[in-house]
């Protein structure tokens, strides 16, 4: 049976009510990456960085998965072959829709990380610079988010999955941020059929054999239906 590897980005959660990064009115229109999403920003002004992620955590806790998240959970459940789900998203909407083993390559809002000893634990809804690490006691706790300049999680396993893929699908991602933006080329060269499902052609659209444009809540269930043959 076909092995399917899927990469999702902010576009899949847009219709649930979470802002994307690069669309008009997106998060990077209101905040500079270098102020809130780098290790240097956290050293310079940890309160500002916590406020940014606290707001996102609070908002993410209020929203529900949409038809696209649910369709991917159904694909994982019904497809005879392996379905690997990699997301750049830090929300938990795939899990809320029933997906299992979601690879959060950019980390998760649900996690806290000690910058001193690297312990991880579930994040409270509101994090603060006064929180102490439950393991070493340092007041150096940060969101478990991969910031610019840091290495995304699980890359070795992800490259291997891409090499083994029969189908690679990128959903709701602009193709601006590496290494995720290189996945289509990597999988395509290794022999996978590559498909993008996005509102508009992504930055790396030429790396895909097939493009289906539209809202995720529409094009993803359609694509899943075709894969499952129903
Ligand atoms: P972007 O905001 O860069 O791109 C979102 C994509 O989703 C765009 O191409 C939109 O056209 C598309 N889109 C918007 N609404 C959609 C809808 N309803 N249905 C389908 N597609 C839709 O977000 P990402 O590509 O996920 O990293 O961004 C990648 C990374 O950049 C993020 O993980 C984050 C950010 O900086 C970090 O914070 C490390």
């Amino acid at each position: 049976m076909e092995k399917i590897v899927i990469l999702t980005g902010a576009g899949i959660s847009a219709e649930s009510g979470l802002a994307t990064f690069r669309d008009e009115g997106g998060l990077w229109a209101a905040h500079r990456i270098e102020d809130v999403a780098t290790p240097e920003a956290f050293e310079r002004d940890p309160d500002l960085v916590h406020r940014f992620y606290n707001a996102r955590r609070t908002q993410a806790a209020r929203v529900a998965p949409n038809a696209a998240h649910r369709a991917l959970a159904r694909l994982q459940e019904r497809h005879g072959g392996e379905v690997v789900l990699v997301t750049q998203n830090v929300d938990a909407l795939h899990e809320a829709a029933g997906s299992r083993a979601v690879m959060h390559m950019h980390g998760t809002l649900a996690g806290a990380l000690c910058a001193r000893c690297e312990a991880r634990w579930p994040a409270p809804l509101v994090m603060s610079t006064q929180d102490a690490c439950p393991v070493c006691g340092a007041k150096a706790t940060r969101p478990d988010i991969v910031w610019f300049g840091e290495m995304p999680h699980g890359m070795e396993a992800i490259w291997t999955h891409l090499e083994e893929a029969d189908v690679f699908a990128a959903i709701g991602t602009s193709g601006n941020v590496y290494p995720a933006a290189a996945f289509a080329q990597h999988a395509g060269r290794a022999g996978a059929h590559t498909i993008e499902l996005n509102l508009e052609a992504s930055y790396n659209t030429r790396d895909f054999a097939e493009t289906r444009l539209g809202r995720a809540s529409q094009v993803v269930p359609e694509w899943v239906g075709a894969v499952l043959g129903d």
Side-chain angles (χ1 to χ4, degrees):
M1 279 305 252
E2 286 185 328
K3 172 165 177 163
I4 303 175
V5 178
I6 297 165
L7 169 73
T8 64
I12 197 169
S13 296
E15 290 166 79
S16 291
L18 297 180
T20 61
F21 295 94
R22 294 175 183 78
D23 294 302
E24 204 178 316
L27 286 166
W28 296 154
H31 307 268
R32 291 177 350 137
I33 287 176
E34 52 275 32
D35 288 341
V36 294
T38 67
E40 295 76 22
F42 189 64
E43 260 173 47
R44 204 167 46 236
D45 193 345
D47 285 310
L48 174 68
V49 175
H50 275 310
R51 276 203 303 280
F52 175 72
Y53 287 102
N54 285 341
R56 299 190 55 207
R57 194 178 298 105
T58 305
Q59 200 187 13
R62 290 197 191 115
V63 301
N66 64 56
H69 299 100
R70 288 195 296 273
L72 295 185
R74 195 166 79 87
L75 181 66
Q76 279 191 312
E77 194 184 301
R78 303 265 177 87
H79 181 61
E82 194 182 355
V83 179
V84 177
L85 182 52
V86 181
T87 187
Q88 298 166 92
N89 297 344
V90 294
D91 64 55
L93 292 178
H94 285 304
E95 289 87 346
S99 277
R100 293 171 312 276
V102 183
M103 301 179 75
H104 281 272
M105 63 179 288
H106 287 170
T108 163
L109 289 166
L113 167 67
C114 177
R116 185 78 50 82
C117 77
E118 297 191 358
R120 287 187 158 82
W121 64 97
L125 201 54
V126 177
M127 291 184 70
S128 122
T129 49
Q130 294 312 304
D131 298 343
C133 168
V135 176
C136 75
K139 288 188 175 170
T141 70
R142 53 168 279 185
D144 190 6
I145 302 284
V146 176
W147 286 324
F148 284 87
E150 297 183 319
M151 180 63 87
H153 298 315
M155 287 313 303
E156 215 173 302
I158 293 171
W159 292 125
T160 303
H161 284 309
L162 291 165
E163 284 153 21
E164 293 171 354
D166 297 297
V167 175
F168 169 72
I171 301 171
T173 177
S174 64
N176 270 291
V177 175
Y178 284 83
F183 289 1
Q185 196 176 65
H186 196 77
R189 283 187 179 156
H193 176 67
T194 52
I195 172 166
E196 69 171 332
L197 306 168
N198 209 37
L199 197 56
E200 58 195 9
S202 62
Y203 190 72
N204 57 338
T205 188
R206 77 184 82 83
D207 294 334
F208 293 89
E210 190 182 342
T211 295
R212 297 191 190 185
L213 301 183
R215 289 181 294 110
S217 65
Q218 188 179 339
V219 293
V220 177
E222 282 170 6
W223 173 68
V224 167
V227 172
L228 294 176
D230 59 24

